Amino acid sequence: MPQKSKQLLEESRTRRTYRQFLDESVNMDVIKNCLMTAATAPNGADKQPWHFCVVTDSEMKQKIRTESEKIEKTFYEEKISTEWQADLEKLNVNWRKPFLTEAPCLVVIFKEFYKILPDGSKDKNYYVTESVGLATGFLINALRNAGYASFTYTPAPPTFLRTLLNRPEGETAMMILCTGKADLSYELPVLKKKTLEEIATFY
Ligand SMILES: Cc1cc2nc3c(=O)[nH]c(=O)nc-3n(C[C@H](O)[C@H](O)[C@H](O)COP(=O)(O)O)c2cc1C
Protein backbone atom coordinates (compact mmCIF):
# COMPACT_ATOMS: atom_id res chain seq x y z
CA MET A 1 0.00 0.00 0.00
CA PRO A 2 2.58 2.66 0.98
CA GLN A 3 4.59 1.61 -2.07
CA LYS A 4 1.64 2.11 -4.47
CA SER A 5 0.70 5.46 -2.95
CA LYS A 6 4.33 6.63 -3.17
CA GLN A 7 4.48 5.56 -6.78
CA LEU A 8 1.34 7.53 -7.65
CA LEU A 9 2.73 10.55 -5.82
CA GLU A 10 5.95 10.41 -7.83
CA GLU A 11 4.04 10.00 -11.10
CA SER A 12 1.64 12.81 -10.22
CA ARG A 13 4.56 15.13 -9.52
CA THR A 14 5.58 14.80 -13.16
CA ARG A 15 2.30 16.45 -14.26
CA ARG A 16 2.83 20.07 -15.19
CA THR A 17 0.91 22.53 -17.30
CA TYR A 18 2.64 22.57 -20.69
CA ARG A 19 1.56 25.54 -22.80
CA GLN A 20 3.08 24.15 -26.01
CA PHE A 21 2.23 20.89 -27.73
CA LEU A 22 3.74 18.73 -30.45
CA ASP A 23 1.99 18.72 -33.81
CA GLU A 24 0.96 15.07 -33.48
CA SER A 25 -2.61 13.71 -33.49
CA VAL A 26 -3.95 12.10 -30.36
CA ASN A 27 -5.03 8.47 -30.27
CA MET A 28 -8.83 8.67 -30.06
CA ASP A 29 -9.13 5.27 -28.31
CA VAL A 30 -6.90 6.62 -25.55
CA ILE A 31 -8.99 9.81 -25.30
CA LYS A 32 -12.19 7.74 -25.08
CA ASN A 33 -10.74 5.59 -22.28
CA CYS A 34 -9.70 8.74 -20.41
CA LEU A 35 -13.21 10.20 -20.78
CA MET A 36 -14.75 7.00 -19.43
CA THR A 37 -12.30 7.19 -16.50
CA ALA A 38 -13.50 10.75 -15.85
CA ALA A 39 -17.07 9.44 -15.85
CA THR A 40 -16.28 7.13 -12.90
CA ALA A 41 -16.06 10.20 -10.62
CA PRO A 42 -18.38 10.46 -7.63
CA ASN A 43 -21.20 12.92 -8.30
CA GLY A 44 -24.37 14.36 -6.80
CA ALA A 45 -27.16 11.71 -6.68
CA ASP A 46 -25.46 9.86 -9.54
CA LYS A 47 -26.86 12.31 -12.08
CA GLN A 48 -23.48 12.35 -13.88
CA PRO A 49 -23.92 16.03 -14.81
CA TRP A 50 -21.10 16.33 -17.36
CA HIS A 51 -20.65 16.41 -21.10
CA PHE A 52 -17.34 16.36 -22.95
CA CYS A 53 -16.99 17.86 -26.44
CA VAL A 54 -13.84 16.56 -28.12
CA VAL A 55 -12.55 18.96 -30.78
CA THR A 56 -9.81 17.97 -33.24
CA ASP A 57 -11.20 19.82 -36.28
CA SER A 58 -8.87 22.75 -37.13
CA GLU A 59 -11.66 25.09 -38.21
CA MET A 60 -13.55 24.59 -34.96
CA LYS A 61 -10.34 25.05 -32.94
CA GLN A 62 -9.72 28.33 -34.80
CA LYS A 63 -13.26 29.54 -34.03
CA ILE A 64 -12.75 28.75 -30.34
CA ARG A 65 -9.41 30.58 -30.35
CA THR A 66 -10.81 33.66 -32.11
CA GLU A 67 -13.71 34.00 -29.65
CA SER A 68 -11.48 33.31 -26.63
CA GLU A 69 -8.91 35.92 -27.67
CA LYS A 70 -11.66 38.53 -28.15
CA ILE A 71 -12.77 37.99 -24.54
CA GLU A 72 -9.20 37.86 -23.20
CA LYS A 73 -8.16 41.08 -24.95
CA THR A 74 -11.00 42.95 -23.22
CA PHE A 75 -10.12 41.31 -19.91
CA TYR A 76 -6.40 42.12 -20.05
CA GLU A 77 -6.95 45.66 -21.37
CA GLU A 78 -9.93 46.71 -19.28
CA LYS A 79 -10.83 44.39 -16.42
CA ILE A 80 -7.78 42.69 -14.84
CA SER A 81 -6.81 43.85 -11.33
CA THR A 82 -3.21 44.81 -10.52
CA GLU A 83 -2.91 41.91 -8.04
CA TRP A 84 -4.13 39.38 -10.59
CA GLN A 85 -1.71 40.77 -13.19
CA ALA A 86 1.17 40.40 -10.70
CA ASP A 87 0.18 36.78 -9.94
CA LEU A 88 0.16 35.99 -13.66
CA GLU A 89 3.53 37.58 -14.36
CA LYS A 90 5.56 34.57 -13.23
CA LEU A 91 3.54 32.42 -15.68
CA ASN A 92 4.15 34.79 -18.59
CA VAL A 93 0.54 34.67 -19.85
CA ASN A 94 -1.33 37.28 -21.89
CA TRP A 95 -4.46 37.57 -24.08
CA ARG A 96 -3.04 35.47 -26.89
CA LYS A 97 -4.09 31.82 -26.71
CA PRO A 98 -2.10 30.00 -29.45
CA PHE A 99 -2.41 26.67 -27.66
CA LEU A 100 -6.10 26.57 -28.66
CA THR A 101 -5.09 25.90 -32.25
CA GLU A 102 -1.72 24.25 -31.59
CA ALA A 103 -2.95 21.53 -29.21
CA PRO A 104 -4.09 18.55 -31.29
CA CYS A 105 -7.18 18.05 -29.15
CA LEU A 106 -9.44 20.28 -27.07
CA VAL A 107 -11.84 18.72 -24.59
CA VAL A 108 -14.52 21.27 -23.78
CA ILE A 109 -16.08 20.27 -20.47
CA PHE A 110 -19.71 21.21 -19.86
CA LYS A 111 -21.63 21.27 -16.58
CA GLU A 112 -25.20 20.09 -17.03
CA PHE A 113 -27.44 22.00 -14.62
CA TYR A 114 -30.64 20.55 -16.05
CA LYS A 115 -32.10 18.64 -18.96
CA ILE A 116 -35.38 19.53 -20.64
CA LEU A 117 -37.61 16.46 -20.62
CA PRO A 118 -39.96 15.62 -23.53
CA ASP A 119 -42.93 17.06 -21.53
CA GLY A 120 -41.06 20.39 -21.25
CA SER A 121 -40.23 20.06 -17.53
CA LYS A 122 -36.69 20.42 -16.14
CA ASP A 123 -34.76 17.44 -14.75
CA LYS A 124 -32.35 19.16 -12.34
CA ASN A 125 -28.88 18.04 -11.23
CA TYR A 126 -27.18 18.57 -7.86
CA TYR A 127 -23.68 19.62 -6.77
CA VAL A 128 -22.91 20.15 -10.42
CA THR A 129 -19.73 22.22 -10.05
CA GLU A 130 -18.27 19.87 -7.43
CA SER A 131 -19.09 16.80 -9.53
CA VAL A 132 -17.69 18.15 -12.79
CA GLY A 133 -14.59 19.43 -10.96
CA LEU A 134 -13.98 15.90 -9.68
CA ALA A 135 -14.50 14.38 -13.14
CA THR A 136 -12.05 16.91 -14.60
CA GLY A 137 -9.43 15.91 -12.04
CA PHE A 138 -9.91 12.25 -12.91
CA LEU A 139 -9.59 13.17 -16.61
CA ILE A 140 -6.37 15.15 -16.12
CA ASN A 141 -4.78 12.28 -14.21
CA ALA A 142 -5.96 9.71 -16.78
CA LEU A 143 -4.46 11.80 -19.61
CA ARG A 144 -1.21 12.15 -17.72
CA ASN A 145 -1.13 8.41 -17.12
CA ALA A 146 -1.63 7.88 -20.87
CA GLY A 147 1.31 10.15 -21.72
CA TYR A 148 -0.66 13.28 -22.64
CA ALA A 149 -0.17 16.72 -21.17
CA SER A 150 -3.17 18.89 -20.46
CA PHE A 151 -3.64 22.59 -20.09
CA THR A 152 -6.64 23.89 -18.16
CA TYR A 153 -8.09 27.02 -19.72
CA THR A 154 -11.22 28.87 -18.58
CA PRO A 155 -12.53 31.60 -20.89
CA ALA A 156 -14.86 33.93 -19.01
CA PRO A 157 -17.64 34.29 -19.90
CA PRO A 158 -17.74 30.88 -21.62
CA THR A 159 -21.17 31.33 -23.26
CA PHE A 160 -19.83 31.28 -26.83
CA LEU A 161 -18.81 27.62 -26.39
CA ARG A 162 -22.39 26.45 -25.95
CA THR A 163 -23.35 28.25 -29.16
CA LEU A 164 -20.34 27.07 -31.18
CA LEU A 165 -20.67 23.46 -30.06
CA ASN A 166 -24.46 23.47 -30.26
CA ARG A 167 -25.09 22.31 -26.67
CA PRO A 168 -28.47 22.57 -24.95
CA GLU A 169 -29.58 25.48 -22.73
CA GLY A 170 -29.14 23.54 -19.45
CA GLU A 171 -25.39 23.21 -20.02
CA THR A 172 -22.59 25.72 -19.31
CA ALA A 173 -18.99 25.25 -20.39
CA MET A 174 -16.70 25.02 -17.36
CA MET A 175 -13.28 24.75 -18.98
CA ILE A 176 -11.30 23.74 -22.00
CA LEU A 177 -8.71 21.04 -21.49
CA CYS A 178 -6.10 21.35 -24.26
CA THR A 179 -4.36 18.04 -24.63
CA GLY A 180 -1.71 16.23 -26.62
CA LYS A 181 1.95 15.33 -26.43
CA ALA A 182 3.88 18.01 -24.55
CA ASP A 183 6.49 20.02 -26.39
CA LEU A 184 9.38 19.35 -24.05
CA SER A 185 11.24 22.39 -25.33
CA TYR A 186 8.66 24.55 -23.48
CA GLU A 187 10.36 26.18 -20.52
CA LEU A 188 8.22 25.33 -17.51
CA PRO A 189 7.86 28.11 -14.93
CA VAL A 190 9.65 27.25 -11.70
CA LEU A 191 6.96 26.76 -9.08
CA LYS A 192 7.23 25.87 -5.43
CA LYS A 193 4.52 23.45 -4.38
CA LYS A 194 3.25 23.72 -0.80
CA THR A 195 4.53 21.23 1.76
CA LEU A 196 2.40 18.64 3.59
CA GLU A 197 2.52 20.82 6.71
CA GLU A 198 1.13 23.75 4.75
CA ILE A 199 -1.71 21.86 3.10
CA ALA A 200 -2.86 19.45 5.83
CA THR A 201 -3.74 19.39 9.51
CA PHE A 202 -4.10 16.09 11.33
CA TYR A 203 -6.38 15.69 14.36
C1 LIG B 1 -9.27 26.68 -13.60
C2 LIG B 1 -7.89 26.89 -14.16
C3 LIG B 1 -7.68 27.88 -15.11
C4 LIG B 1 -6.42 28.09 -15.65
N1 LIG B 1 -6.24 29.04 -16.60
C5 LIG B 1 -5.02 29.24 -17.15
C6 LIG B 1 -4.83 30.23 -18.17
O1 LIG B 1 -5.74 30.93 -18.59
N2 LIG B 1 -3.59 30.40 -18.68
C7 LIG B 1 -2.53 29.65 -18.23
O2 LIG B 1 -1.43 29.84 -18.73
N3 LIG B 1 -2.68 28.70 -17.26
C8 LIG B 1 -3.90 28.47 -16.72
N4 LIG B 1 -4.08 27.50 -15.76
C9 LIG B 1 -2.94 26.66 -15.34
C10 LIG B 1 -2.34 27.12 -14.02
O3 LIG B 1 -1.66 28.34 -14.19
C11 LIG B 1 -1.37 26.02 -13.51
O4 LIG B 1 -2.08 24.84 -13.25
C12 LIG B 1 -0.67 26.46 -12.22
O5 LIG B 1 0.18 27.54 -12.46
C13 LIG B 1 0.12 25.32 -11.59
O6 LIG B 1 1.08 24.85 -12.52
P1 LIG B 1 1.20 23.31 -12.88
O7 LIG B 1 -0.13 22.88 -13.48
O8 LIG B 1 2.33 23.22 -13.87
O9 LIG B 1 1.48 22.55 -11.62
C14 LIG B 1 -5.34 27.28 -15.20
C15 LIG B 1 -5.56 26.29 -14.23
C16 LIG B 1 -6.82 26.10 -13.70
C17 LIG B 1 -7.05 25.00 -12.69
Side-chain angles (χ1 to χ4, degrees), residues 108-111 113 155 158-159 161-162 165 171-176:
V108 186
I109 304 171
F110 283 85
K111 307 194 265 196
F113 288 98
T159 7
L161 289 164
R162 183 170 63 209
L165 299 164
E171 291 183 15
T172 302
M174 189 163 92
M175 60 181 82
I176 302 175

Side-chain angles (χ1 to χ4, degrees), residues 15-19 72 76 88 90-91 93 97 99 150-154 175 188-189 191 193:
R15 186 215 56 78
R16 288 295 312 276
T17 296
Y18 280 83
R19 294 172 177 80
E72 296 289 347
Y76 278 89
L88 287 179
K90 66 176 175 193
L91 302 173
V93 296
K97 304 293 165 191
F99 50 83
S150 58
F151 175 3
T152 331
Y153 170 60
T154 46
M175 60 181 82
L188 284 165
L191 303 177
K193 297 295 177 179

Side-chain angles (χ1 to χ4, degrees), residues 193-203:
K193 297 295 177 179
K194 291 183 180 175
T195 62
L196 180 64
E197 291 68 31
E198 287 173 298
I199 64 154
T201 308
F202 297 85
Y203 298 89

Side-chain angles (χ1 to χ4, degrees), residues 128-198:
V128 173
T129 301
E130 293 83 346
S131 303
V132 183
L134 286 164
T136 302
F138 279 35
L139 178 57
I140 291 171
N141 211 28
L143 290 167
R144 176 204 54 76
N145 181 59
Y148 289 137
S150 58
F151 175 3
T152 331
Y153 170 60
T154 46
T159 7
F160 70 92
L161 289 164
R162 183 170 63 209
T163 312
L164 274 182
L165 299 164
N166 201 21
R167 296 306 304 162
E169 64 164 55
E171 291 183 15
T172 302
M174 189 163 92
M175 60 181 82
I176 302 175
L177 212 56
C178 310
T179 191
K181 286 261 173 71
D183 176 353
L184 299 177
S185 72
Y186 169 70
E187 207 173 311
L188 284 165
V190 179
L191 303 177
K192 189 185 166 299
K193 297 295 177 179
K194 291 183 180 175
T195 62
L196 180 64
E197 291 68 31
E198 287 173 298

Side-chain angles (χ1 to χ4, degrees), residues 58-174:
S58 336
E59 263 180 51
M60 183 56 87
K61 285 197 286 183
Q62 183 58 60
K63 283 183 189 165
I64 293 175
R65 176 174 172 183
T66 304
E67 290 306 310
S68 300
E69 288 186 334
K70 260 192 234 164
I71 292 170
E72 296 289 347
K73 207 160 185 294
T74 314
F75 174 72
Y76 278 89
E77 288 176 359
E78 295 166 24
K79 298 187 187 163
I80 194 166
S81 66
T82 334
E83 284 147 307
W84 198 336
Q85 186 122 46
D87 278 340
L88 287 179
E89 233 154 63
K90 66 176 175 193
L91 302 173
N92 196 23
V93 296
N94 57 45
W95 64 267
R96 289 192 179 80
K97 304 293 165 191
F99 50 83
L100 290 172
T101 44
E102 286 166 9
C105 179
L106 308 180
V107 182
V108 186
I109 304 171
F110 283 85
K111 307 194 265 196
E112 186 195 62
F113 288 98
Y114 60 87
K115 231 198 233 10
I116 302 285
L117 296 176
D119 68 359
S121 63
K122 284 183 185 174
D123 179 18
K124 282 197 227 149
N125 294 330
Y126 317 101
Y127 295 111
V128 173
T129 301
E130 293 83 346
S131 303
V132 183
L134 286 164
T136 302
F138 279 35
L139 178 57
I140 291 171
N141 211 28
L143 290 167
R144 176 204 54 76
N145 181 59
Y148 289 137
S150 58
F151 175 3
T152 331
Y153 170 60
T154 46
T159 7
F160 70 92
L161 289 164
R162 183 170 63 209
T163 312
L164 274 182
L165 299 164
N166 201 21
R167 296 306 304 162
E169 64 164 55
E171 291 183 15
T172 302
M174 189 163 92

